[in-house]
Amino acid sequence: MSAAKETLHNDGVVLLKVGEYPYTAEQIDELIELCKKLPHPDGIGVENRLGVGRILVDPVDLGRGERGYEPAKVEAPEIAQAILDIAASDEAMAFWADCFGLEKVTMRRAQTNFLYEGDSVGSHNDHEANPEYRISIVIGLTEDYTGGEFVAEISPEDHRRFRVNRGDILVAKPELQHAVSVVESGKRMSLVLFMS
């Protein structure tokens, strides 16, 4: 993990593969099945085309408020709790805190993003929603899609593209400017976690 921590510290983003993070293959399979069951109405803003399944709603969501949207709601609380039982287990939270050199972290927001052909997410950073976020995590739940790459702006001259496949976990600093390119075919589904 030390090489991944160094990459995260230097670049603001790192892609972890199976065995490099605290979830088992069985837990990833269970997360996939649970996330598929979530209702997923449209996301916010004209620059974003995706469906969002709410798992945990942050009461401080500046992005929604600035756009005049109502507060988000968790529409399937039993499914959401089962997802959080895995994603925010004590072992997982200790792992993510260590990853960022923090004593402790708290899950602030969790959602499943559903992107179908033609969908994308516009350029943003996660501090826009809440400047207290310390960690952003994207867990890949599908791989039967083309396009849909996570595009990270390391610097104005250095834009890197990451394909987050089923079972991959992308970890980013929330101040990192990023987007998701247009999904060209298939369905891209990911579980996104925000911690402070």
Side-chain angles (χ1 to χ4, degrees), residues 44 61-70:
I44 64 169
D61 189 339
L62 302 176
R64 290 187 74 82
E66 289 173 358
R67 290 182 171 106
Y69 286 85
E70 293 292 319

Side-chain angles (χ1 to χ4, degrees), residues 24-36:
T24 66
E26 292 78 20
Q27 288 173 316
I28 294 293
D29 289 343
E30 190 173 350
L31 287 171
I32 291 167
E33 291 309 311
L34 288 165
C35 289
K36 283 181 184 177

Side-chain angles (χ1 to χ4, degrees), residues 39 66 116 120 132 142 149 152 161 166 172 174 179 192:
E66 289 173 358
Y116 298 91
S120 62
E132 293 183 13
T142 55
E149 295 172 312
R161 300 174 88 79
R166 182 186 188 283
V192 187

Side-chain angles (χ1 to χ4, degrees), residues 13-17 20 138 162-165 168-171:
V13 62
V14 67
L15 187 65
L16 304 177
K17 299 291 186 178
E20 296 180 312
V138 179
F162 297 88
R163 182 175 164 86
V164 187
N165 285 322
D168 291 345
I169 297 183
L170 184 133
V171 184

Side-chain angles (χ1 to χ4, degrees), residues 40-100:
H40 50 281
D42 290 342
I44 64 169
V46 295
E47 71 279 9
N48 300 313
R49 295 185 54 206
L50 75 159
V52 178
R54 305 285 175 195
I55 298 162
L56 179 64
V57 176
D58 188 343
V60 178
D61 189 339
L62 302 176
R64 290 187 74 82
E66 289 173 358
R67 290 182 171 106
Y69 286 85
E70 293 292 319
K73 294 183 223 160
V74 174
E75 296 182 19
E78 301 83 17
I79 297 170
Q81 187 57 56
I83 292 167
L84 288 173
D85 288 345
I86 298 168
S89 69
D90 290 343
E91 177 187 347
M93 298 303 277
F95 178 90
W96 297 123
D98 180 63
C99 197
F100 278 78

